[in-house]
């Protein structure tokens, strides 16, 4: 079987200070990591899937743009 041609991907853009986070683990581990991140950062509501064994969210680490002053 011949390999499929790779689809062309659109370049991603990122906002300064915003991290895309994907967590994989058992349900208890994912929950513990989400709680730890939420206690330190502003986060979006995690989108959990695979029966709680994976989660995707974004977190805000603050503006990382250089200070122009």
């Amino acid at each position: 079987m011949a390999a499929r041609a790779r689809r062309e991907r659109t370049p991603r853009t990122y906002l300064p200070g915003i991290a895309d986070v994907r967590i994989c683990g058992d349900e208890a581990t994912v929950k513990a990591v989400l709680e730890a991140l939420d206690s330190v950062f502003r986060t979006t509501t995690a989108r959990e899937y695979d029966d709680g064994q994976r989660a995707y969210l974004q977190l805000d680490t603050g503006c990382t743009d250089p200070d122009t002053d």
Side-chain angles (χ1 to χ4, degrees):
M1 177 194 264
R4 269 190 314 187
R6 245 186 128 138
R7 67 179 169 88
E8 189 160 331
R9 294 184 181 178
T10 306
R12 292 183 180 176
T13 56
Y14 298 96
L15 295 173
I18 303 296
D20 293 320
V21 179
R22 189 175 309 158
I23 304 167
C24 302
D26 63 32
E27 188 175 354
T29 301
V30 170
K31 184 177 179 182
V33 171
L34 291 174
E35 288 173 358
L37 290 174
D38 192 44
S39 71
V40 178
F41 301 103
R42 290 188 317 164
T43 66
T44 59
T45 301
R47 188 177 73 221
E48 295 183 29
Y49 53 101
D50 284 348
D51 297 322
Q53 294 186 1
R54 298 177 189 262
Y56 171 81
L57 69 146
Q58 291 183 317
L59 61 87
D60 183 357
T61 62
C63 182
T64 59
D65 288 339
D67 191 357
T68 58
D69 290 344

